[in-house]
Amino acid sequence: QLQLVESGGGLVQPGGSLRLSCAISGFSLDRYAIGWFRQVPGKEREGVSCMVMNDGSRNYGDSVKGRFTISRDNAKNTVYLQMNSLKPEDTAVYYCAANQFRLCVLKDPDIFDFWGQGTQVTVSS
């Protein structure tokens, strides 16, 4: 059964760092693109970052470029989101998602077929 499970969220001060993990089971990573999205209440889901697993190409949202890095560990079937220089506006529930089209279109979350349950990230002093 295909499953994505996020972890690593929490409370951090502005300027701090967190690393989110997305543990994936039920399929081989190379068949998919894996993306990270975030959402706050009352707002649309925002694309944060994405990686096409078979070629390693990556994409980032404008608001996180230079601060966030997506990476993978094939042995652990896990995708990470390293978040540095965090700001209060990064506060959201973060989701990882997979699509079988191997497309990293961050502005179109509907192309992603499978989603995790989300992990809360709160940036506050």
Side-chain angles (χ1 to χ4, degrees), residues 11-107:
L11 174 64
V12 64
Q13 292 186 343
S17 298
L18 279 176
R19 189 179 76 162
L20 304 183
S21 300
C22 177
I24 302 160
S25 60
F27 61 91
S28 172
L29 281 183
D30 282 349
R31 296 175 56 190
Y32 290 82
I34 306 297
W36 284 97
F37 293 80
R38 64 188 184 187
Q39 191 168 25
V40 297
K43 292 190 176 181
E44 293 186 352
R45 194 163 290 189
E46 177 189 5
V48 174
S49 184
C50 185
M51 178 186 287
V52 179
M53 293 291 114
N54 68 334
D55 66 12
S57 58
R58 309 174 193 195
N59 199 9
Y60 295 94
D62 289 340
S63 62
V64 306
K65 282 180 182 176
R67 299 189 298 123
F68 290 11
T69 302
I70 190 170
S71 64
R72 63 183 171 181
D73 184 331
N74 289 336
K76 295 182 178 179
N77 234 40
T78 298
V79 176
Y80 302 100
L81 184 70
Q82 178 67 43
M83 306 186 296
N84 298 329
S85 302
L86 283 162
K87 305 174 182 180
E89 51 263 43
D90 294 318
T91 296
V93 178
Y94 284 71
Y95 300 89
C96 65
N99 81 64
Q100 59 186 322
F101 308 107
R102 299 178 184 173
L103 295 175
C104 279
V105 182
L106 293 176
K107 295 186 183 297

Coordinates of all heavy atoms in Angstrom, one line a residue, residues 11-107:
L11 N 8.2 23.7 16.7 CA 8.3 25.1 17.0 C 9.8 25.5 16.9 O 10.6 24.9 17.5 CB 7.7 25.4 18.4 CG 7.9 26.8 18.9 CD1 7.1 27.8 18.0 CD2 7.4 26.9 20.3
V12 N 10.1 26.6 16.2 CA 11.4 27.1 16.0 C 11.4 28.6 16.0 O 10.4 29.2 15.6 CB 12.1 26.5 14.7 CG1 11.3 27.0 13.5 CG2 13.5 26.8 14.7
Q13 N 12.5 29.2 16.5 CA 12.5 30.7 16.5 C 12.9 31.2 15.1 O 13.5 30.5 14.3 CB 13.6 31.1 17.5 CG 13.2 30.8 19.0 CD 14.2 31.4 19.9 OE1 15.3 31.8 19.6 NE2 13.8 31.6 21.2
P14 N 12.5 32.4 14.8 CA 12.9 33.0 13.5 C 14.4 33.0 13.4 O 15.2 33.2 14.3 CB 12.4 34.5 13.7 CG 11.3 34.4 14.6 CD 11.6 33.3 15.6
G15 N 14.9 32.6 12.2 CA 16.3 32.4 11.9 C 16.8 31.0 12.1 O 17.9 30.7 11.7
G16 N 16.0 30.2 12.7 CA 16.4 28.8 13.0 C 16.2 27.9 11.8 O 15.8 28.3 10.7
S17 N 16.4 26.6 12.1 CA 16.3 25.6 11.0 C 15.5 24.4 11.5 O 15.5 24.1 12.7 CB 17.8 25.1 10.6 OG 18.5 26.2 10.1
L18 N 14.9 23.7 10.5 CA 14.3 22.4 10.7 C 14.5 21.6 9.5 O 14.7 22.1 8.4 CB 12.8 22.6 10.9 CG 12.2 23.0 12.3 CD1 10.7 23.2 12.2 CD2 12.6 22.0 13.4
R19 N 14.5 20.3 9.7 CA 14.5 19.3 8.6 C 13.3 18.4 8.6 O 13.1 17.7 9.6 CB 15.8 18.5 8.6 CG 16.0 17.7 7.3 CD 17.2 16.8 7.3 NE 17.1 15.6 8.1 CZ 17.9 14.6 8.0 NH1 18.9 14.6 7.0 NH2 17.8 13.6 8.8
L20 N 12.5 18.5 7.6 CA 11.4 17.6 7.5 C 11.7 16.4 6.7 O 12.6 16.4 5.8 CB 10.2 18.4 6.7 CG 9.8 19.7 7.3 CD1 8.6 20.2 6.5 CD2 9.4 19.6 8.8
S21 N 11.1 15.3 7.1 CA 11.3 14.0 6.4 C 10.0 13.5 5.8 O 8.9 13.7 6.5 CB 11.9 13.0 7.4 OG 13.1 13.4 7.9
C22 N 10.1 12.9 4.7 CA 8.9 12.2 4.1 C 9.3 10.8 3.8 O 10.1 10.5 2.8 CB 8.5 12.9 2.8 SG 7.1 12.2 1.9
A23 N 8.9 9.9 4.6 CA 9.2 8.5 4.5 C 8.1 7.8 3.5 O 6.9 8.0 3.8 CB 9.2 7.8 5.8
I24 N 8.6 7.2 2.5 CA 7.7 6.7 1.4 C 7.8 5.2 1.4 O 8.9 4.6 1.3 CB 8.1 7.3 0.1 CG1 8.1 8.8 0.2 CG2 7.2 6.8 -1.0 CD1 8.9 9.5 -0.9
S25 N 6.6 4.5 1.3 CA 6.6 3.1 1.2 C 5.5 2.7 0.2 O 4.6 3.5 -0.1 CB 6.2 2.5 2.6 OG 4.9 2.9 3.0
G26 N 5.7 1.6 -0.4 CA 4.8 1.0 -1.4 C 5.1 1.2 -2.8 O 4.5 0.7 -3.7
F27 N 6.2 2.0 -3.1 CA 6.6 2.2 -4.5 C 8.0 2.6 -4.6 O 8.6 3.2 -3.6 CB 5.7 3.2 -5.2 CG 5.7 4.6 -4.7 CD1 6.6 5.5 -5.2 CD2 4.8 4.9 -3.7 CE1 6.6 6.8 -4.7 CE2 4.8 6.2 -3.2 CZ 5.7 7.2 -3.7
S28 N 8.6 2.5 -5.7 CA 10.0 2.9 -5.9 C 10.0 4.4 -6.2 O 9.3 4.9 -7.1 CB 10.6 2.1 -7.1 OG 11.9 2.7 -7.5
L29 N 10.9 5.1 -5.6 CA 11.0 6.5 -5.7 C 11.2 7.0 -7.2 O 10.7 8.0 -7.6 CB 12.2 7.1 -4.9 CG 11.9 7.3 -3.4 CD1 13.1 7.9 -2.7 CD2 10.7 8.1 -3.1
D30 N 12.0 6.2 -7.9 CA 12.4 6.7 -9.3 C 11.2 6.8 -10.2 O 11.3 7.4 -11.3 CB 13.4 5.7 -9.9 CG 14.8 5.9 -9.3 OD1 15.0 7.0 -8.7 OD2 15.7 5.1 -9.6
R31 N 10.0 6.2 -9.9 CA 8.9 6.3 -10.7 C 8.1 7.6 -10.6 O 7.1 7.8 -11.3 CB 8.0 5.1 -10.4 CG 8.6 3.7 -10.7 CD 7.6 2.6 -10.3 NE 6.3 2.8 -10.9 CZ 5.3 2.0 -10.5 NH1 5.4 1.1 -9.5 NH2 4.1 2.2 -11.1
Y32 N 8.5 8.4 -9.6 CA 7.6 9.6 -9.3 C 8.4 10.9 -9.2 O 9.6 10.9 -9.1 CB 6.9 9.3 -7.9 CG 5.9 8.2 -8.0 CD1 6.3 6.9 -8.0 CD2 4.5 8.5 -8.2 CE1 5.3 5.8 -8.0 CE2 3.6 7.5 -8.2 CZ 4.0 6.2 -8.2 OH 3.1 5.2 -8.2
A33 N 7.6 12.0 -9.1 CA 8.1 13.2 -8.6 C 7.6 13.4 -7.2 O 6.4 13.1 -7.0 CB 7.7 14.4 -9.5
I34 N 8.4 13.9 -6.3 CA 8.0 14.1 -4.9 C 8.0 15.6 -4.6 O 9.0 16.3 -4.9 CB 8.9 13.4 -3.9 CG1 9.0 11.9 -4.3 CG2 8.4 13.6 -2.5 CD1 7.7 11.2 -4.2
G35 N 7.0 16.1 -4.1 CA 6.9 17.6 -3.8 C 6.6 17.9 -2.4 O 6.0 17.0 -1.6
W36 N 6.9 19.1 -2.0 CA 6.6 19.6 -0.6 C 5.6 20.8 -0.9 O 6.0 21.7 -1.7 CB 7.8 20.0 0.2 CG 8.6 18.9 0.7 CD1 9.7 18.3 0.2 CD2 8.3 18.2 2.0 NE1 10.2 17.3 1.0 CE2 9.4 17.2 2.1 CE3 7.4 18.3 2.9 CZ2 9.4 16.4 3.2 CZ3 7.4 17.5 4.0 CH2 8.4 16.5 4.2
F37 N 4.5 20.8 -0.1 CA 3.6 21.9 -0.2 C 3.3 22.3 1.3 O 3.6 21.6 2.2 CB 2.3 21.4 -0.8 CG 2.4 21.1 -2.3 CD1 2.9 19.9 -2.7 CD2 2.0 22.0 -3.2 CE1 3.1 19.6 -4.1 CE2 2.2 21.7 -4.6 CZ 2.7 20.5 -5.0
R38 N 2.7 23.5 1.4 CA 2.4 24.0 2.7 C 1.1 24.7 2.6 O 0.7 25.3 1.6 CB 3.5 24.9 3.3 CG 3.7 26.2 2.6 CD 4.9 26.9 3.2 NE 5.2 28.2 2.5 CZ 6.2 28.9 2.8 NH1 7.2 28.5 3.6 NH2 6.4 30.1 2.2
Q39 N 0.4 24.8 3.7 CA -0.9 25.4 3.8 C -1.2 26.0 5.1 O -0.9 25.4 6.2 CB -2.0 24.4 3.4 CG -3.4 25.1 3.1 CD -4.4 24.1 2.5 OE1 -4.3 22.9 2.6 NE2 -5.3 24.7 1.8
V40 N -1.8 27.2 5.1 CA -2.3 27.9 6.3 C -3.8 28.0 6.2 O -4.3 28.1 5.1 CB -1.6 29.2 6.6 CG1 -0.1 29.1 6.8 CG2 -1.9 30.2 5.5
P41 N -4.5 28.0 7.3 CA -6.0 28.1 7.3 C -6.4 29.3 6.5 O -5.9 30.4 6.6 CB -6.4 28.2 8.7 CG -5.3 27.5 9.5 CD -4.0 27.9 8.7
G42 N -7.4 29.1 5.6 CA -7.9 30.2 4.8 C -7.2 30.5 3.5 O -7.6 31.4 2.8
K43 N -6.1 29.8 3.3 CA -5.3 30.1 2.1 C -5.1 28.9 1.3 O -5.3 27.7 1.7 CB -3.9 30.7 2.5 CG -3.9 32.0 3.1 CD -2.5 32.6 3.3 CE -2.6 34.0 3.8 NZ -1.2 34.6 4.0
E44 N -4.8 29.1 0.0 CA -4.5 27.9 -0.9 C -3.2 27.2 -0.6 O -2.3 27.8 0.0 CB -4.5 28.4 -2.4 CG -5.8 28.9 -2.9 CD -5.8 29.3 -4.3 OE1 -4.7 29.2 -4.9 OE2 -6.9 29.5 -4.9
R45 N -3.2 26.0 -0.9 CA -2.0 25.2 -0.7 C -0.9 25.8 -1.7 O -1.1 26.1 -2.8 CB -2.2 23.8 -1.1 CG -1.2 22.8 -0.6 CD -1.7 21.4 -0.6 NE -2.7 21.2 0.5 CZ -3.2 20.0 0.8 NH1 -2.8 18.9 0.2 NH2 -4.0 19.9 1.8
E46 N 0.3 26.0 -1.1 CA 1.4 26.6 -1.8 C 2.5 25.6 -2.1 O 2.9 24.8 -1.1 CB 2.0 27.7 -0.9 CG 3.2 28.4 -1.5 CD 3.9 29.4 -0.6 OE1 3.5 29.5 0.6 OE2 4.9 30.1 -1.0
G47 N 3.0 25.5 -3.3 CA 4.1 24.7 -3.6 C 5.4 25.2 -3.1 O 5.7 26.4 -3.3
V48 N 6.2 24.4 -2.4 CA 7.4 24.8 -1.8 C 8.6 24.3 -2.6 O 9.5 25.0 -2.9 CB 7.5 24.3 -0.3 CG1 8.9 24.5 0.3 CG2 6.4 24.8 0.5
S49 N 8.7 23.0 -2.8 CA 9.8 22.4 -3.5 C 9.4 21.0 -4.1 O 8.4 20.4 -3.7 CB 11.0 22.2 -2.6 OG 12.1 21.7 -3.3
C50 N 10.1 20.6 -5.1 CA 9.8 19.4 -5.8 C 11.1 18.8 -6.4 O 12.0 19.5 -6.8 CB 8.8 19.6 -6.9 SG 8.2 18.1 -7.7
M51 N 11.1 17.5 -6.5 CA 12.2 16.8 -7.1 C 11.7 15.6 -8.0 O 10.8 14.9 -7.6 CB 13.2 16.2 -6.1 CG 14.4 15.5 -6.7 SD 15.4 14.6 -5.5 CE 16.3 16.0 -4.8
V52 N 12.2 15.6 -9.2 CA 11.9 14.4 -10.1 C 12.9 13.4 -9.7 O 14.1 13.6 -9.9 CB 12.0 14.8 -11.6 CG1 11.7 13.6 -12.4 CG2 11.0 15.9 -11.9
M53 N 12.5 12.2 -9.3 CA 13.4 11.3 -8.6 C 14.3 10.6 -9.6 O 15.5 10.3 -9.3 CB 12.6 10.2 -7.9 CG 11.8 10.7 -6.7 SD 12.9 11.2 -5.4 CE 12.6 12.9 -5.3
N54 N 13.9 10.4 -10.9 CA 14.8 9.6 -11.7 C 15.9 10.4 -12.3 O 16.9 9.9 -12.8 CB 14.0 8.9 -12.8 CG 13.4 9.9 -13.8 OD1 13.2 11.1 -13.5 ND2 13.2 9.5 -15.0
D55 N 15.8 11.8 -12.3 CA 16.9 12.6 -12.9 C 17.4 13.6 -11.9 O 18.4 14.3 -12.2 CB 16.5 13.2 -14.2 CG 15.4 14.3 -14.0 OD1 15.1 14.6 -12.9 OD2 14.9 14.7 -15.0
G56 N 16.8 13.7 -10.7 CA 17.3 14.6 -9.7 C 17.0 16.1 -9.9 O 17.4 16.9 -9.1
S57 N 16.3 16.4 -10.9 CA 16.0 17.9 -11.2 C 15.1 18.4 -10.1 O 14.2 17.7 -9.6 CB 15.3 18.0 -12.6 OG 14.1 17.3 -12.6
R58 N 15.3 19.7 -9.7 CA 14.6 20.2 -8.5 C 14.0 21.6 -8.9 O 14.4 22.3 -9.8 CB 15.6 20.4 -7.4 CG 16.4 19.2 -7.1 CD 17.5 19.4 -6.1 NE 18.4 18.3 -6.1 CZ 19.3 18.0 -5.1 NH1 19.3 18.8 -4.1 NH2 20.1 17.0 -5.1
N59 N 13.0 21.9 -8.1 CA 12.3 23.2 -8.3 C 11.9 23.7 -7.0 O 11.6 23.0 -6.0 CB 11.0 22.9 -9.1 CG 10.4 24.1 -9.8 OD1 11.1 25.1 -9.8 ND2 9.3 24.0 -10.4
Y60 N 11.9 25.1 -6.9 CA 11.6 25.7 -5.6 C 10.6 26.9 -5.8 O 10.7 27.6 -6.8 CB 12.9 26.3 -4.9 CG 13.9 25.2 -4.5 CD1 14.9 24.8 -5.3 CD2 13.7 24.6 -3.3 CE1 15.8 23.9 -5.0 CE2 14.6 23.6 -2.9 CZ 15.7 23.2 -3.7 OH 16.5 22.3 -3.3
G61 N 9.8 27.1 -4.8 CA 8.9 28.3 -4.9 C 9.8 29.5 -4.6 O 10.8 29.5 -3.9
D62 N 9.3 30.7 -5.1 CA 10.1 31.9 -5.0 C 10.3 32.3 -3.6 O 11.4 32.9 -3.2 CB 9.4 33.0 -5.8 CG 9.4 32.9 -7.3 OD1 10.3 32.1 -7.8 OD2 8.6 33.5 -8.0
S63 N 9.4 32.0 -2.7 CA 9.5 32.5 -1.3 C 10.5 31.7 -0.5 O 10.9 32.1 0.6 CB 8.1 32.4 -0.7 OG 7.6 31.1 -0.6
V64 N 11.0 30.6 -1.0 CA 11.9 29.7 -0.2 C 13.2 29.6 -0.9 O 14.1 28.9 -0.4 CB 11.3 28.4 0.1 CG1 9.9 28.5 0.8 CG2 11.2 27.5 -1.2
K65 N 13.4 30.1 -2.1 CA 14.7 29.9 -2.9 C 15.8 30.5 -2.0 O 15.8 31.5 -1.5 CB 14.6 30.6 -4.2 CG 13.8 29.8 -5.3 CD 13.8 30.6 -6.6 CE 13.0 29.8 -7.6 NZ 12.9 30.5 -8.9
G66 N 16.9 29.7 -2.0 CA 18.1 30.1 -1.2 C 18.0 29.8 0.2 O 19.0 29.9 0.9
R67 N 16.9 29.3 0.7 CA 16.7 29.0 2.2 C 16.4 27.5 2.4 O 16.8 26.9 3.4 CB 15.6 29.9 2.8 CG 15.9 31.3 2.7 CD 14.9 32.1 3.6 NE 13.5 32.0 3.1 CZ 12.5 31.5 3.8 NH1 12.7 31.1 5.1 NH2 11.3 31.4 3.3
F68 N 15.6 26.9 1.5 CA 15.2 25.5 1.6 C 15.9 24.7 0.6 O 16.2 25.1 -0.5 CB 13.7 25.4 1.3 CG 12.8 26.0 2.4 CD1 13.3 26.8 3.4 CD2 11.4 25.8 2.4 CE1 12.5 27.4 4.4 CE2 10.6 26.3 3.4 CZ 11.1 27.1 4.4
T69 N 16.2 23.4 0.9 CA 16.8 22.5 0.0 C 16.1 21.1 0.1 O 15.9 20.6 1.2 CB 18.3 22.3 0.4 OG1 19.0 23.6 0.4 CG2 19.0 21.3 -0.5
I70 N 15.7 20.6 -1.0 CA 15.1 19.3 -1.1 C 16.2 18.3 -1.4 O 17.1 18.5 -2.2 CB 14.0 19.2 -2.1 CG1 13.2 17.9 -2.0 CG2 14.5 19.4 -3.5 CD1 11.9 17.9 -2.8
S71 N 16.2 17.1 -0.8 CA 17.2 16.1 -1.0 C 16.5 14.7 -0.8 O 15.4 14.6 -0.3 CB 18.4 16.2 -0.1 OG 18.0 16.1 1.3
R72 N 17.3 13.6 -1.1 CA 16.7 12.3 -0.9 C 17.8 11.3 -0.4 O 19.0 11.6 -0.6 CB 16.2 11.8 -2.3 CG 17.3 11.7 -3.3 CD 16.8 11.3 -4.7 NE 17.9 11.4 -5.7 CZ 17.7 11.1 -6.9 NH1 16.5 10.7 -7.4 NH2 18.7 11.2 -7.8
D73 N 17.3 10.3 0.2 CA 18.1 9.1 0.6 C 17.4 7.9 0.0 O 16.4 7.4 0.5 CB 18.2 9.1 2.1 CG 19.1 8.0 2.6 OD1 19.3 6.9 1.9 OD2 19.7 8.1 3.7
N74 N 18.0 7.4 -1.1 CA 17.4 6.3 -1.8 C 17.4 5.0 -0.9 O 16.4 4.2 -1.0 CB 18.2 6.0 -3.1 CG 18.0 7.0 -4.1 OD1 16.9 7.7 -4.1 ND2 18.9 7.2 -5.1
A75 N 18.4 4.8 -0.1 CA 18.5 3.6 0.7 C 17.3 3.6 1.7 O 16.8 2.5 2.1 CB 19.8 3.6 1.4
K76 N 16.9 4.8 2.2 CA 15.8 4.9 3.2 C 14.5 5.2 2.5 O 13.5 5.3 3.3 CB 16.2 6.0 4.2 CG 17.4 5.6 5.0 CD 17.7 6.7 6.1 CE 18.9 6.4 7.0 NZ 19.1 7.4 8.0
N77 N 14.4 5.4 1.2 CA 13.2 5.7 0.5 C 12.6 7.0 1.2 O 11.4 7.0 1.5 CB 12.2 4.6 0.5 CG 11.7 4.3 -0.9 OD1 12.5 4.3 -1.8 ND2 10.5 4.0 -1.0
T78 N 13.4 8.0 1.4 CA 13.0 9.2 2.2 C 13.4 10.4 1.4 O 14.5 10.5 0.9 CB 13.6 9.1 3.6 OG1 13.1 8.0 4.3 CG2 13.2 10.4 4.4
V79 N 12.5 11.4 1.4 CA 12.9 12.7 0.9 C 12.8 13.7 2.0 O 12.0 13.7 2.9 CB 11.8 13.1 -0.2 CG1 12.1 14.5 -0.7 CG2 11.9 12.1 -1.4
Y80 N 13.8 14.6 2.0 CA 14.0 15.6 3.1 C 13.7 17.0 2.5 O 13.9 17.3 1.4 CB 15.4 15.5 3.6 CG 15.7 14.2 4.2 CD1 16.5 13.3 3.4 CD2 15.3 13.8 5.4 CE1 16.9 12.1 3.9 CE2 15.6 12.5 5.9 CZ 16.4 11.7 5.2 OH 16.7 10.4 5.7
L81 N 13.3 17.9 3.4 CA 13.3 19.3 3.2 C 14.0 20.0 4.3 O 13.5 20.1 5.4 CB 11.8 19.8 3.1 CG 11.7 21.3 2.7 CD1 12.1 21.5 1.2 CD2 10.2 21.8 2.9
Q82 N 15.2 20.5 3.9 CA 16.0 21.3 4.9 C 15.6 22.7 4.8 O 15.6 23.3 3.7 CB 17.5 21.1 4.6 CG 18.4 21.9 5.5 CD 18.4 21.4 6.9 OE1 18.4 20.3 7.2 NE2 18.3 22.4 7.9
M83 N 15.1 23.3 5.9 CA 14.6 24.6 6.0 C 15.5 25.5 6.9 O 15.6 25.2 8.1 CB 13.2 24.6 6.5 CG 12.3 23.7 5.7 SD 10.5 23.9 6.2 CE 10.6 23.3 7.9
N84 N 16.2 26.5 6.3 CA 17.1 27.4 7.0 C 16.5 28.8 7.0 O 15.7 29.1 6.2 CB 18.5 27.3 6.4 CG 19.1 26.0 6.5 OD1 18.9 25.2 7.4 ND2 20.0 25.7 5.5
S85 N 17.1 29.6 7.9 CA 16.7 31.0 8.0 C 15.1 31.2 8.0 O 14.6 32.0 7.2 CB 17.2 31.8 6.8 OG 18.6 31.7 6.7
L86 N 14.5 30.4 8.8 CA 13.1 30.4 8.9 C 12.5 31.7 9.3 O 13.1 32.4 10.2 CB 12.6 29.2 9.8 CG 12.7 27.9 9.2 CD1 12.6 26.8 10.2 CD2 11.6 27.7 8.1
K87 N 11.3 32.0 8.7 CA 10.6 33.3 9.0 C 9.2 32.9 9.6 O 8.7 31.9 9.3 CB 10.5 34.1 7.7 CG 11.8 34.3 7.0 CD 11.5 35.0 5.7 CE 12.8 35.3 4.9 NZ 12.5 35.9 3.6
P88 N 8.6 33.9 10.3 CA 7.3 33.6 10.8 C 6.3 33.3 9.7 O 5.4 32.5 9.9 CB 6.9 34.9 11.5 CG 8.2 35.5 11.9 CD 9.2 35.1 10.8
E89 N 6.5 33.8 8.5 CA 5.6 33.5 7.4 C 5.8 32.1 6.8 O 5.0 31.7 5.9 CB 5.7 34.6 6.2 CG 7.1 34.8 5.8 CD 7.8 36.0 6.5 OE1 7.6 36.2 7.7 OE2 8.5 36.8 5.8
D90 N 6.7 31.4 7.3 CA 6.9 30.0 6.9 C 6.0 29.1 7.7 O 5.9 27.9 7.4 CB 8.3 29.5 7.1 CG 9.3 30.2 6.1 OD1 8.9 30.4 4.9 OD2 10.4 30.6 6.5
T91 N 5.4 29.6 8.7 CA 4.4 28.9 9.6 C 3.3 28.3 8.7 O 2.6 29.0 8.0 CB 3.9 29.7 10.7 OG1 5.0 30.1 11.6 CG2 2.9 29.0 11.5
A92 N 3.1 27.0 8.8 CA 2.1 26.3 8.0 C 2.1 24.8 8.4 O 3.0 24.3 9.0 CB 2.4 26.5 6.5
V93 N 1.2 24.1 7.8 CA 1.2 22.6 7.8 C 1.9 22.2 6.5 O 1.5 22.7 5.4 CB -0.2 22.0 7.9 CG1 -0.1 20.5 7.8 CG2 -0.9 22.4 9.2
Y94 N 2.9 21.4 6.6 CA 3.7 21.0 5.5 C 3.4 19.6 5.1 O 3.3 18.7 5.9 CB 5.2 21.1 5.8 CG 5.7 22.5 5.7 CD1 5.4 23.4 6.7 CD2 6.6 23.0 4.7 CE1 5.8 24.7 6.7 CE2 7.0 24.3 4.6 CZ 6.7 25.1 5.7 OH 7.1 26.4 5.6
Y95 N 3.1 19.4 3.8 CA 2.7 18.1 3.2 C 3.7 17.6 2.2 O 4.2 18.5 1.4 CB 1.4 18.2 2.5 CG 0.2 18.6 3.4 CD1 -0.1 20.0 3.6 CD2 -0.6 17.7 4.1 CE1 -1.1 20.4 4.4 CE2 -1.6 18.1 4.9 CZ -1.9 19.4 5.0 OH -3.0 19.8 5.8
C96 N 4.0 16.3 2.1 CA 4.7 15.8 1.0 C 3.7 15.1 0.1 O 2.7 14.6 0.6 CB 5.9 14.9 1.4 SG 5.5 13.4 2.3
A97 N 4.0 15.0 -1.2 CA 3.1 14.4 -2.1 C 3.9 13.8 -3.3 O 5.0 14.2 -3.5 CB 2.1 15.5 -2.7
A98 N 3.2 12.9 -4.0 CA 3.8 12.2 -5.1 C 2.9 12.3 -6.3 O 1.7 12.2 -6.2 CB 4.1 10.7 -4.7
N99 N 3.6 12.4 -7.5 CA 2.8 12.3 -8.7 C 3.6 11.3 -9.7 O 4.8 11.4 -9.7 CB 2.5 13.6 -9.4 CG 3.6 14.2 -10.2 OD1 4.0 13.7 -11.2 ND2 4.1 15.4 -9.7
Q100 N 2.8 10.6 -10.4 CA 3.3 9.5 -11.3 C 3.7 10.1 -12.7 O 4.2 9.3 -13.5 CB 2.3 8.4 -11.5 CG 1.0 8.9 -12.0 CD 0.0 7.7 -12.1 OE1 0.3 6.6 -12.3 NE2 -1.3 8.1 -11.8
F101 N 3.5 11.4 -12.9 CA 3.8 11.9 -14.2 C 5.3 12.5 -14.2 O 5.7 13.0 -15.3 CB 2.9 13.1 -14.5 CG 1.4 12.7 -14.4 CD1 0.6 13.1 -13.3 CD2 0.8 11.9 -15.3 CE1 -0.7 12.8 -13.2 CE2 -0.5 11.5 -15.2 CZ -1.2 11.9 -14.2
R102 N 5.9 12.4 -13.1 CA 7.3 12.9 -13.0 C 7.4 14.4 -13.4 O 8.3 14.8 -14.0 CB 8.3 12.1 -13.8 CG 8.4 10.6 -13.4 CD 9.3 9.8 -14.3 NE 9.3 8.4 -13.9 CZ 9.9 7.5 -14.6 NH1 10.5 7.8 -15.7 NH2 9.9 6.3 -14.3
L103 N 6.4 15.2 -12.9 CA 6.3 16.6 -13.2 C 6.4 17.4 -11.9 O 5.8 17.1 -10.9 CB 5.0 16.9 -13.9 CG 4.8 16.3 -15.3 CD1 3.4 16.7 -15.8 CD2 5.8 16.8 -16.3
C104 N 7.2 18.4 -11.9 CA 7.4 19.3 -10.8 C 6.7 20.6 -11.1 O 7.4 21.6 -11.4 CB 8.8 19.5 -10.4 SG 9.5 18.1 -9.4
V105 N 5.4 20.7 -11.1 CA 4.6 21.9 -11.4 C 4.1 22.3 -10.0 O 3.0 21.9 -9.6 CB 3.5 21.6 -12.4 CG1 2.8 22.9 -12.7 CG2 4.1 21.0 -13.7
L106 N 4.8 23.2 -9.4 CA 4.5 23.6 -8.0 C 3.1 24.4 -7.9 O 2.5 24.4 -6.9 CB 5.6 24.4 -7.4 CG 6.9 23.6 -7.1 CD1 7.9 24.6 -6.5 CD2 6.6 22.5 -6.1
K107 N 2.8 25.0 -9.0 CA 1.5 25.8 -9.0 C 0.3 25.0 -9.3 O -0.8 25.5 -9.3 CB 1.6 26.9 -10.1 CG 2.7 27.9 -9.8 CD 2.6 29.1 -10.8 CE 3.8 30.1 -10.6 NZ 3.6 30.7 -9.2

